Amino acid sequence: MASNKNKLAFLSMPAPASYVAGLGRGASGFTTRSDIGPAREGPSAEVIAEAQARRGEEPEIDPEQFQDPDNEYGLFAGTTYEQDDEEADKIYDDVDQKMDSRRRARREARENAELAKHRAERPKIQQQFADLKRGLSVVTDQEWESIPEVGNLTRKKRRKDERTFVVPDSIIVGDRSKSEYENSLDTRQQQANGFETPADTGTMTNFVEIGQARDKILSLKLDQISGTATTSGSATSVDPKGYLTSLNSVVLKTEAEIGDIKRARMLFDSLVKSNPKHAPGWIAAACLEEHAGRMVAARKLIKAGCEQCPKSDDVWLEAARLHNNDDAKVILANAVQHVGQSVKIWLAAADLEQDVKSKKRVLRKALENIPNSVRLWKETVNLEESATDARILLSRAVEVIPLSVELWLALARLETPERAKAVLNKARKSVPTSHEIWIAAGRLLEQGATGDPDKSTETRNKELELVDKTIELGVRELRRHQVLLTREQWLKEAERCESDGSPRTCEAIIKATVSMEVEEEDRLDTWVSDAESAEAKGMVGTARAVLAYALKVFPDQRNLWRKAADLEKAHGTKESLDGVLSQAVHYCPQAEVLWLMSAKEKWLAGDVPAAREVLEKAFIANPESEQIWLAAVKLEAENGELGVARELLVRARTVADTERIWMKSAVFERQQGQYAAALETVSTALSKFPKFAKLYMIQGQIRQMEKHYSTARASYAAGLKACPKEITLWVLASKLEELDGRSIKARALLEKGRLVNPANEILWAESVGVEERSGGAAQAKAMLARGLQECPSSGLLWSMSIWAEPRPTRKSRSVDALKKSKDNPLITCTVARLFWTERKIEKARQWFSRSVATEQDKDIGDHWGWWLKFERQHGTPEYVEEVIKQGVAAEPHHGPVWQVIAKDDKNVGKSTKELLAMVADALQ
């Protein structure tokens, strides 16, 4: 025992200072709070400074503390922060913000430039591998399958995890008993004759018969319940057919809903007890019980509510709603005794009646109690089938309620025109502040003037002038009675009159009110905006009336006449357009556009002599106008008067003597096959206008057609020397060299043109075309990439880039193109063609429509050609006709294929519709 005590004596001894538990097994020591004692807070700065002062030491001063102006613990540590200090800080902050805002734009621009440069030098990994990721889309399934699996590349042998476990005995015993068979019965089984089941005496379970029996029992129970002749009187009548249907309509509520209903019931119970005269509380409590499916409780509650709040019509209406039709009639009859002046109660009582006669009886009883209700009179009149009875009722109604405008207008509509005037006069005297009565009077006068087709034009115009006078008088009378409607309200009334089929009343309202509340210097802009907004709403008559009034005030505004002409061209008739243009050229004789529009409309209408007459008048007003001269030449040339057209050109060169007239003269001679006369005209024109590039083009094209390539090359060279900025000259010169088999010279010419005209997409596109036609696909792709670097937002180059891509990557390329080119119409048309190739018909149609959305886009004829080609292949004849109609209305002039076909001498004089069909056939 003693030896054991000595052996364990060290356990009660303190551990050595350097002892670390488990050090022999590789443990390391650590220190806890119990080893070093509790944490103590060090001396504060004041205590340290006091101790240094007792020892005679001076505190250390940081030499940098006075260098920071925001650091006030040094020199100004003991001062007080006052209001002037705060004001000074605010001033300094404002100055800092002002200085920062002055340099902010430059700083942000510099930072953006540096960021762009940094991203260009060090692009993200995602951007570096973007093209490779797109390339993965073309990898086939076989290539994916042939990629080898990644093996162990570390060259280290991995030890297999081969762990074994002892199998329990229960698994072994169970596995052994699986293959055993029992060949004897135990004692209990022997006493019960084993598992014998005689097949000849047993019965099989028939589930069909069980289901039929169940249905039969259910039908018997329903028949018993539905018996009406009972002696006890406790049985209820149940509809056996609707019983199961009603069971399906039962809504099973969750426990949460039941709990909410109970809480709400307690709240409403407290509400009606604390404030029994509060009608909404009774209504809400009854609705809650109805929602819970307790109709009896709901009816009891609403009955108590009717007793407590007999003056509330809402309670009576809710009670009627909760009961059946017969009980509701009784309830509303009681309600009338308490709230006999309630219109809603009488209307609800009338709605409960099934036949019209009973409804009339209820409403007339209501009018005896409430004769000044407009709604009751209107409901009563609506039930009348005879116009005479309705007129009698309305006559009585306006006597009882003389201030109701609706009743006066309804009575006027039922009267004859003559008696309607008397009715409206009475109404105007009874309600002098109503503008509807004056408008109705104007519409009545217009109806009387236009209703009889046998009236003469002079009589009709005199009667229509009464409409203007009536509306003008009405506006004055309304102002006299201090009724001031705004311009917007009058414009809405005018639009309403136009919608109701009274255009002259609409025009009269515009004449009388459109100049209200408008400053003199803002009149033109305001009226133009009013006309545009009305036209956008489809109110053409209102827009026409506004423009007509504006033209009376500003008859010398050619832009205003142009808007009026465009409005008539879009929505009016040929006669109205001709009338507007005739007045326009009368008031603005110097407006060449109006003369040309007038002549063109007469020419399109087939009246060529009238068009000639208009142009002759235009010559008198504008003798030196090249547009009018050229329009006259075109008119004569299109109608086969070639000699007259040539004489007109000679006179035009003498009178006007402009470069465009000389050019048209040369083109006219070329179209007639007179190449020598055309060259002579061009030579004379070049001596007068050596800087006009189109003359060089015509000269070179004529010599090229004559196969004189050397002289054509000299013409283009002279043109490039005189007009180095003309892009078309460079392209024509390049095509001439390519036609002559000198692709190297064509490439050199385009390179020179790009140096003279940097960042020009047409020259880059032509260079790519030269490389493609010479058979260098790789060189063409490299040239295209260079062009996109110099012209990153070029729609033409991006379109070529999309088609240069493989088919799977074109869609992603088109997304990049749309982002870079900012929805260029060329890219939009290219995307539509991509959808076309993928057989996405509706999407392709939408994108074709987007490619010709704006006025600038509509001028590109190639887009109309692609759309027409698409509709011919996939659209219906209606779609084809609609595209042709829109294309003819747009009158396109540009596009590579369109210009080639339209300027071909063989196609001179062909219509836009024919040219559109030819372009659609030529596009590939």
Side-chain angles (χ1 to χ4, degrees):
M1 292 294 292
S3 61
N4 288 340
K5 288 181 180 179
N6 293 333
K7 186 182 296 185
L8 300 176
F10 71 92
L11 293 176
S12 59
M13 297 178 184
S18 59
Y19 174 74
V20 176
L23 184 62
R25 300 190 302 274
S28 59
F30 54 88
T31 305
T32 63
R33 177 64 64 190
S34 60
D35 298 327
I36 62 176
R40 297 179 181 85
E41 185 180 2
S44 62
E46 292 80 3
V47 175
I48 295 174
E50 187 178 349
Q52 288 177 346
R54 283 201 303 270
R55 291 196 297 267
E57 299 177 0
E58 294 183 359
E60 296 181 0
I61 298 174
D62 185 10
E64 299 295 332
Q65 67 180 356
F66 300 111
Q67 302 301 321
D68 187 3
D70 295 331
N71 187 359
E72 295 185 352
Y73 68 81
L75 182 61
F76 303 103
T79 59
T80 306
Y81 189 76
E82 297 177 348
Q83 186 176 1
D84 53 350
D85 297 328
E86 182 180 0
E87 185 177 356
D89 289 341
K90 288 183 180 179
I91 293 173
Y92 280 116
D93 290 341
D94 294 340
V95 172
D96 292 340
Q97 292 177 4
K98 182 67 175 178
M99 296 298 292
D100 181 66
S101 64
R102 288 175 58 187
R103 294 186 290 268
R104 182 180 301 162
R106 286 181 293 174
R107 185 177 68 250
E108 290 179 353
R110 186 181 70 254
E111 290 175 354
N112 292 334
E114 291 176 356
L115 181 61
K117 182 179 179 182
H118 176 73
R119 287 181 176 174
E121 294 176 352
R122 297 182 180 180
K124 296 180 180 179
I125 296 178
Q126 181 181 5
Q127 297 175 352
Q128 294 179 3
F129 292 95
D131 53 345
L132 298 178
K133 285 179 68 177
R134 293 196 194 100
L136 290 176
S137 59
V138 300
V139 178
T140 62
D141 295 339
Q142 292 79 9
E143 293 174 344
W144 277 112
E145 293 294 336
S146 62
I147 297 176
E149 295 289 338
V150 179
N152 182 17
L153 304 179
T154 60
R155 295 184 179 180
K156 292 183 180 180
K157 293 183 179 180
R158 296 182 179 177
R159 187 173 61 182
K160 294 183 180 180
D161 189 9
E162 297 178 354
R163 300 178 64 184
T164 58
F165 301 92
V166 179
V167 180
D169 296 340
S170 59
I171 296 178
I172 297 175
V173 173
D175 191 43
R176 184 186 63 185
S177 62
K178 283 183 181 178
S179 59
E180 293 182 355
Y181 295 94
E182 293 288 340
N183 52 15
S184 62
L185 299 175
D186 59 10
T187 306
R188 182 178 57 80
Q189 292 172 343
Q190 292 177 3
Q191 292 176 356
N193 293 327
F195 296 118
E196 291 183 2
T197 304
D200 52 348
T201 59
T203 58
M204 297 182 63
T205 303
N206 192 336
F207 293 101
V208 177
E209 292 181 358
I210 292 175
Q212 293 175 352
R214 184 189 60 188
D215 295 340
K216 189 173 183 180
I217 291 172
L218 180 60
S219 63
L220 288 173
K221 287 184 179 180
L222 290 174
D223 293 339
Q224 292 174 1
I225 295 173
S226 62
T228 55
T230 58
T231 57
S232 60
S234 60
T236 58
S237 178
V238 178
D239 181 14
K241 294 182 180 179
Y243 180 71
L244 295 177
T245 305
S246 63
L247 288 179
N248 292 331
S249 64
V250 173
V251 179
L252 299 178
K253 294 182 173 58
T254 62
E255 294 182 1
E257 290 178 331
I258 294 172
D260 293 340
I261 290 172
K262 288 181 178 179
R263 284 192 293 271
R265 186 179 291 122
M266 292 174 60
L267 288 173
F268 288 136
D269 187 36
S270 175
L271 175 61
V272 297
K273 286 181 179 179
S274 60
N275 189 4
K277 299 299 182 182
H278 186 61
W282 291 103
I283 296 173
C287 290
L288 176 67
E289 297 299 338
E290 181 190 10
H291 178 70
R294 302 173 60 188
M295 290 301 296
V296 176
R299 289 167 182 166
K300 286 182 179 180
L301 278 172
I302 203 64
K303 181 180 179 183
C306 293
E307 294 173 356
Q308 294 292 336
C309 308
K311 297 299 181 182
S312 173
D313 52 359
D314 293 332
V315 176
W316 290 105
L317 292 173
E318 185 66 19
R321 188 185 68 82
L322 291 176
H323 288 75
N324 56 30
N325 202 355
D326 296 332
D327 294 340
K329 291 180 181 179
V330 177
I331 291 170
L332 291 179
N334 294 330
V336 167
Q337 298 177 2
H338 294 87
V339 281
Q341 297 298 314
S342 174
V343 177
K344 292 191 289 184
I345 294 292
W346 286 105
L347 290 175
D351 290 338
L352 290 176
E353 301 295 339
Q354 300 297 328
D355 56 323
V356 178
K357 187 176 181 180
S358 300
K359 288 180 183 290
K360 290 181 181 179
R361 185 180 67 252
V362 173
L363 288 174
R364 291 185 179 183
K365 186 70 175 177
L367 287 173
E368 292 178 4
N369 290 273
I370 319 171
N372 58 350
S373 172
V374 178
R375 189 175 177 187
L376 285 176
W377 281 107
K378 288 170 63 177
E379 292 291 336
T380 307
V381 171
N382 289 336
L383 290 177
E384 296 295 337
E385 298 178 357
S386 172
T388 306
D389 296 339
R391 192 183 303 118
I392 295 171
L393 279 174
L394 285 172
S395 301
R396 175 59 181 163
V398 295
E399 291 176 5
V400 178
I401 317 172
L403 298 180
S404 175
V405 179
E406 293 180 81
L407 297 177
W408 282 110
L409 295 179
L411 179 59
R413 282 193 291 268
L414 291 176
E415 293 287 357
T416 59
E418 294 300 326
R419 298 185 64 180
K421 291 180 182 178
V423 169
L424 289 176
N425 285 330
K426 291 181 181 179
R428 179 173 53 82
K429 294 175 182 178
S430 300
V431 194
T433 59
S434 173
H435 64 278
E436 291 96 339
I437 295 175
W438 287 101
I439 294 175
R443 293 184 59 188
L444 181 64
L445 291 173
E446 181 181 0
Q447 183 180 356
T450 58
D452 188 4
D454 297 333
K455 286 184 180 180
S456 63
T457 306
E458 185 178 357
T459 306
R460 185 180 292 110
N461 291 335
K462 286 183 178 179
E463 292 182 359
L464 288 176
E465 288 177 0
L466 291 176
V467 179
D468 299 341
K469 294 179 181 178
T470 301
I471 297 297
E472 187 178 356
L473 177 61
V475 173
R476 286 202 305 267
E477 288 294 320
L478 290 172
R479 286 177 183 171
R480 190 167 64 86
H481 288 89
Q482 303 299 319
V483 180
L484 301 177
L485 273 71
T486 62
R487 287 183 70 257
E488 288 73 16
Q489 290 174 322
W490 281 114
L491 286 174
K492 288 181 180 178
E493 292 294 337
E495 293 173 359
R496 189 178 294 113
C497 289
E498 181 184 356
S499 301
D500 294 340
S502 301
R504 187 54 186 260
T505 308
C506 165
E507 184 180 350
I509 293 174
I510 295 297
K511 288 179 181 178
T513 61
V514 76
S515 60
M516 293 169 50
E517 303 173 3
V518 182
E519 298 291 337
E520 187 174 354
E521 60 272 11
D522 298 334
R523 288 184 299 175
L524 181 60
D525 296 335
T526 304
W527 291 339
V528 169
S529 63
D530 289 341
E532 290 176 351
S533 62
E535 185 182 2
K537 296 176 185 176
M539 300 298 172
V540 181
T542 306
R544 185 183 290 118
V546 173
L547 288 176
Y549 187 85
L551 287 171
K552 287 183 180 179
V553 181
F554 302 103
D556 56 344
Q557 290 289 332
R558 61 178 65 184
N559 293 331
L560 204 57
W561 285 108
R562 180 72 184 272
K563 285 186 177 296
D566 291 339
L567 179 69
E568 296 299 333
K569 186 176 181 181
H571 305 285
T573 61
K574 292 181 179 179
E575 292 77 12
S576 62
L577 176 59
D578 187 29
V580 169
L581 290 174
S582 300
Q583 293 182 11
V585 297
H586 174 71
Y587 286 104
C588 302
Q590 306 301 321
E592 302 171 357
V593 178
L594 298 175
W595 286 107
L596 295 176
M597 285 183 66
S598 180
K600 184 177 180 180
E601 293 301 326
K602 291 185 181 298
W603 178 24
L604 293 177
D607 193 356
V608 178
R612 289 196 183 101
E613 184 180 352
V614 171
L615 289 176
E616 288 175 3
K617 294 179 181 178
F619 282 133
I620 298 173
N622 305 276
E624 297 183 0
S625 172
E626 71 170 22
Q627 291 186 357
I628 295 176
W629 280 105
L630 294 177
V633 171
K634 184 177 181 180
L635 177 65
E636 300 299 339
E638 294 283 343
N639 289 278
E641 301 290 340
L642 301 180
V644 177
R646 187 174 283 108
E647 291 178 4
L648 283 173
L649 284 171
V650 173
R651 288 175 56 193
R653 292 198 296 268
T654 306
V655 177
D657 196 21
T658 62
E659 54 190 17
R660 193 158 179 262
I661 288 178
W662 282 96
M663 180 198 72
K664 290 292 183 180
S665 301
V667 171
F668 177 78
E669 298 296 345
R670 186 185 68 181
Q671 290 172 352
Q672 305 308 317
Q674 305 294 328
Y675 294 149
L679 289 174
E680 183 180 356
T681 304
V682 169
S683 301
T684 307
L686 283 175
S687 62
K688 293 185 175 184
F689 311 103
K691 295 291 184 180
F692 191 49
K694 289 189 177 182
L695 295 174
Y696 295 102
M697 297 179 199
I698 296 170
Q699 188 180 44
Q701 287 171 343
I702 292 175
R703 288 172 174 170
Q704 185 175 337
M705 291 169 63
E706 294 177 343
K707 305 296 183 181
H708 298 159
Y709 292 153
S710 58
T711 54
R713 189 178 293 112
S715 298
Y716 289 142
L720 290 174
K721 186 176 181 181
C723 311
K725 297 294 183 180
E726 185 62 37
I727 306 301
T728 311
L729 268 176
W730 291 100
V731 174
L732 289 174
S734 168
K735 287 184 176 180
L736 175 64
E737 300 297 343
E738 198 174 357
L739 182 64
D740 199 19
R742 301 181 180 183
S743 298
I744 299 176
K745 185 69 180 294
R747 194 179 292 117
L749 269 174
L750 290 173
E751 186 74 26
K752 186 177 180 182
R754 294 199 305 272
L755 291 175
V756 178
N757 303 279
N760 187 273
E761 61 175 7
I762 299 177
L763 291 177
W764 279 106
E766 187 62 27
S767 300
V768 174
V770 169
E771 299 296 341
E772 287 179 347
R773 289 189 290 270
S774 61
Q779 291 85 347
K781 200 166 185 179
M783 184 68 69
L784 184 58
R786 288 175 55 195
L788 284 174
Q789 287 180 352
E790 190 168 344
C791 307
S793 60
S794 168
L796 179 60
L797 295 179
W798 275 109
S799 178
M800 298 176 70
S801 175
I802 291 171
W803 294 114
E805 291 288 328
R807 185 170 181 176
T809 60
R810 286 175 181 172
K811 186 175 290 186
S812 58
R813 194 67 170 170
S814 64
V815 173
D816 297 339
L818 286 171
K819 291 179 180 178
K820 296 284 186 181
S821 63
K822 300 177 181 178
D823 293 338
N824 189 285
L826 291 172
I827 302 299
T828 309
C829 184
T830 304
V831 173
R833 291 168 60 193
L834 286 178
F835 284 125
W836 182 6
T837 58
E838 295 175 2
R839 294 297 187 270
K840 296 180 179 179
I841 306 304
E842 288 302 324
K843 280 192 174 182
R845 185 174 288 119
Q846 291 175 4
W847 281 83
F848 275 124
S849 177
R850 286 178 59 182
S851 67
V852 292
T854 64
E855 292 297 328
Q856 185 177 1
D857 300 343
K858 289 180 181 179
D859 196 47
I860 304 177
D862 288 12
H863 295 177
W864 292 104
W866 280 116
W867 195 1
L868 179 58
K869 191 180 184 72
F870 165 77
E871 295 296 351
R872 282 178 176 176
Q873 185 174 350
H874 297 287
T876 60
E878 291 78 11
Y879 279 120
V880 174
E881 288 299 323
E882 183 64 25
V883 172
I884 293 175
K885 180 181 177 182
Q886 295 183 22
V888 171
E891 296 183 359
H893 296 91
H894 295 88
V897 180
W898 180 275
Q899 287 180 320
V900 170
I901 292 178
K903 293 185 178 181
D904 191 351
D905 295 340
K906 300 176 183 177
N907 301 325
V908 174
K910 291 188 176 180
S911 63
T912 306
K913 183 177 180 179
E914 296 173 336
L915 293 175
L916 184 59
M918 295 175 67
V919 169
D921 295 335
L923 287 170
Q924 298 293 334

